[in-house]
Amino acid sequence: MYKLDLPIDLKEVAAIERRRNREQQRQSRIFNAKVRTMGVDVAALDKQVEERKTMEKTEKLREEAFDADREQYDKIALMLEQRERQLSRDLDQAVQNYRAQNQRAETRREFDLYDPDALKKDRPARVSDDDPRCGPASLQKFAGEDLNEEKRRELLTDMTQKWLAGQIEERKRSEAQQKYADNLYDLKRVELDERAQHLSRMEEECRKAVDMATTSFNQALAMEASERRRLQKQQEEDNNFAEIYNHLTGDILTENPAAAVSTFGPHSVVPDRWKGMSPEQLKAILDTQKRQCQEKQRLKEEEKQQNIEWDRQRALAARAAINLEQEEHEISKEMRKRLDGYNQQLSREQRAHLEYLDGVVYTNNPTAHYHSQFNTTSR
């Protein structure tokens, strides 16, 4: 509309070329894997920030200058547009005046064709295509004329509405099917989560049972060790008391002839005072040996009972572990079987859904031109 010979803005052209060059350089850096590096260069980032601020400041000044130029250009364009509009109005007014003065309708040779009362003078238009008044020379019927335009438009409108209603119904049906499939998937996922939690609780209970059995066994061992230490201590105290009593009631302090026993030990005696061993000494030795044998036999029996108890506890723990392992194996096997069946069902559903998508929905596959428009800029 505006035929203005405005000069080319060299600054704007230079700015556009500069931005284009920066974009090409950035693409060469971004798309080149050998040049692109990882990490953060603080100095470079600071420099880029300073450059960015300087560029923004320069851009702001340039935009302000451009705004001033644009305002001036807009004023000039507005003035030229107003002048052209006024010239157009004047020209139209002159043409209308000339037509009103020199080209009146009634002075024309073909006034009968432009007579406003021609329709009143002419015969009425045809009512239908088979009207006998519509002959070849009546100029009431022409080749290519669309006589049923209104009916055709109404029919097209009805067909369009039916198509839209069918598409809306199909879309609702597809959304309902997708929603049903999503709900089914969510329910199955919740069921699998509950099964996993149940198995986890069972495993935790089995672990707690094993820990309780181990703790009870360790407590029994600790109590047995404590009782053994108590008995040893009691035996040592009894031996000490017996030794003190023997010293107090022995032959040395009571001036018994048995005092001939040497101080080096019971196996040696003082030759000048020893008269031989008395029957009491022999009996005491025999009693001591007998008591020592009984004590040794008792300790062997206790050790044997302790070993039997340990073997029983180990067997119980092993049997419990085997039962837990078998139960866990059966549960895992059953879960894998159900999961395989569910995966097969999901595979069939997904295959049917993919066939539906490939055959009905995604019939227009993207071409190479569609993929070539990506990764063409660095932003």
Side-chain angles (χ1 to χ4, degrees):
M1 179 178 178
Y2 308 111
K3 297 181 180 180
L4 304 177
D5 296 332
L6 299 177
I8 299 175
D9 192 353
L10 299 179
K11 292 183 179 180
E12 185 175 0
V13 173
I16 293 172
E17 187 65 23
R18 185 167 55 255
R19 287 196 295 270
R20 185 181 293 112
N21 293 332
R22 283 202 301 267
E23 177 64 20
Q24 291 179 358
Q25 293 176 3
R26 179 178 175 85
Q27 289 181 4
S28 64
R29 293 193 304 271
I30 294 299
F31 295 152
N32 190 354
K34 295 183 179 179
V35 178
R36 186 172 64 248
T37 58
M38 297 178 64
V40 178
D41 190 355
V42 180
L45 292 177
D46 295 336
K47 184 177 179 181
Q48 290 178 2
V49 171
E50 294 296 332
E51 292 177 356
R52 180 68 178 179
K53 290 181 179 178
T54 305
M55 184 176 64
E56 289 178 355
K57 185 176 180 181
T58 306
E59 187 70 21
K60 184 177 180 181
L61 295 176
R62 185 168 61 253
E63 291 294 336
E64 292 177 355
F66 287 163
D67 292 337
D69 293 340
R70 279 195 294 270
E71 290 179 358
Q72 184 178 0
Y73 296 153
D74 291 339
K75 290 179 181 179
I76 295 172
L78 184 60
M79 293 173 62
L80 293 175
E81 183 179 358
Q82 291 177 356
R83 183 183 301 175
E84 184 178 0
R85 191 178 301 163
Q86 185 64 33
L87 291 175
S88 178
R89 284 198 298 266
D90 294 340
L91 182 60
D92 293 339
Q93 186 65 33
V95 171
Q96 293 297 332
N97 294 333
Y98 178 80
R99 289 176 178 175
Q101 294 176 3
N102 301 319
Q103 294 182 349
R104 294 192 298 273
E106 58 271 13
T107 61
R108 296 178 184 176
R109 184 178 59 184
E110 62 276 7
F111 176 69
D112 57 341
L113 300 177
Y114 301 97
D115 190 2
D117 298 329
L119 296 177
K120 297 179 181 179
K121 300 175 183 178
D122 195 7
R123 291 184 303 173
R126 66 188 186 277
V127 179
S128 62
D129 293 340
D130 55 355
D131 193 344
R133 293 177 296 174
C134 298
S138 64
L139 296 179
Q140 296 292 326
K141 182 177 181 181
F142 301 95
E145 185 179 4
D146 192 359
L147 301 177
N148 298 324
E149 181 180 1
E150 295 182 357
K151 293 182 179 180
R152 181 176 57 81
R153 290 184 179 276
E154 292 179 358
L155 180 61
L156 288 175
T157 302
D158 295 338
M159 291 177 64
T160 304
Q161 291 179 356
K162 290 180 180 179
W163 291 343
L164 290 176
Q167 291 178 359
I168 293 172
E169 186 67 24
E170 182 65 23
R171 184 176 180 180
K172 289 182 179 179
R173 190 183 305 109
S174 178
E175 290 179 355
Q177 292 178 357
Q178 183 65 28
K179 185 176 181 181
Y180 176 74
D182 294 338
N183 292 332
L184 183 62
Y185 175 75
D186 293 337
L187 292 175
K188 183 57 67 175
R189 185 174 57 186
V190 169
E191 183 181 357
L192 291 177
D193 293 339
E194 291 178 353
R195 290 180 182 177
Q197 292 178 1
H198 179 66
L199 292 176
S200 178
R201 287 195 298 269
M202 292 183 63
E203 185 178 359
E204 186 67 23
E205 291 176 357
C206 294
R207 188 181 297 107
K208 288 181 179 180
V210 173
D211 293 339
M212 291 178 62
T214 306
T215 303
S216 300
F217 180 68
N218 293 332
Q219 290 178 356
L221 292 178
M223 292 176 62
E224 186 176 357
S226 178
E227 183 67 20
R228 189 185 306 107
R229 287 193 298 271
R230 188 186 67 78
L231 291 175
Q232 290 179 356
K233 185 176 180 182
Q234 184 67 31
Q235 182 66 31
E236 185 177 357
E237 290 179 356
D238 293 341
N239 293 333
N240 292 333
F241 287 145
E243 184 178 0
I244 293 172
Y245 179 77
N246 291 331
H247 281 299
L248 292 175
T249 58
D251 295 336
I252 296 175
L253 297 179
T254 57
E255 296 181 356
N256 195 332
V261 178
S262 175
T263 57
F264 294 102
H267 58 278
S268 62
V269 296
V270 180
D272 55 351
R273 289 180 290 178
W274 187 66
K275 301 299 182 177
M277 297 178 65
S278 62
E280 292 79 4
Q281 290 178 345
L282 295 175
K283 184 178 180 182
I285 292 172
L286 294 175
D287 293 339
T288 302
Q289 291 178 352
K290 185 177 180 180
R291 189 168 56 253
Q292 289 177 354
C293 291
Q294 292 177 357
E295 183 67 21
K296 187 175 181 180
Q297 186 67 25
R298 186 181 64 80
L299 292 176
K300 287 183 179 180
E301 290 294 333
E302 289 181 357
E303 185 177 1
K304 184 177 180 181
Q305 292 295 330
Q306 181 182 358
N307 293 332
I308 292 172
E309 183 65 22
W310 284 355
D311 293 337
R312 189 177 67 82
Q313 292 292 338
R314 282 196 294 269
L316 291 175
R319 190 178 298 108
I322 291 172
N323 293 332
L324 291 175
E325 184 178 0
Q326 289 179 354
E327 183 177 358
E328 184 178 0
H329 179 71
E330 292 295 332
I331 294 173
S332 177
K333 184 177 179 182
E334 182 66 22
M335 184 177 179
R336 284 198 301 270
K337 184 183 296 182
R338 294 182 180 178
L339 185 60
D340 291 339
Y342 177 67
N343 289 333
Q344 291 177 0
Q345 182 182 357
L346 287 181
S347 177
R348 291 192 296 269
E349 293 177 358
Q350 187 176 9
R351 191 180 300 109
H353 184 63
L354 289 177
E355 290 177 357
Y356 171 75
L357 292 178
D358 294 337
V360 179
V361 180
Y362 301 134
T363 58
N364 188 10
N365 295 325
T367 60
H369 176 70
Y370 173 77
H371 295 286
S372 63
Q373 62 182 342
F374 300 100
N375 200 19
T376 58
T377 179
S378 62
R379 300 296 178 181

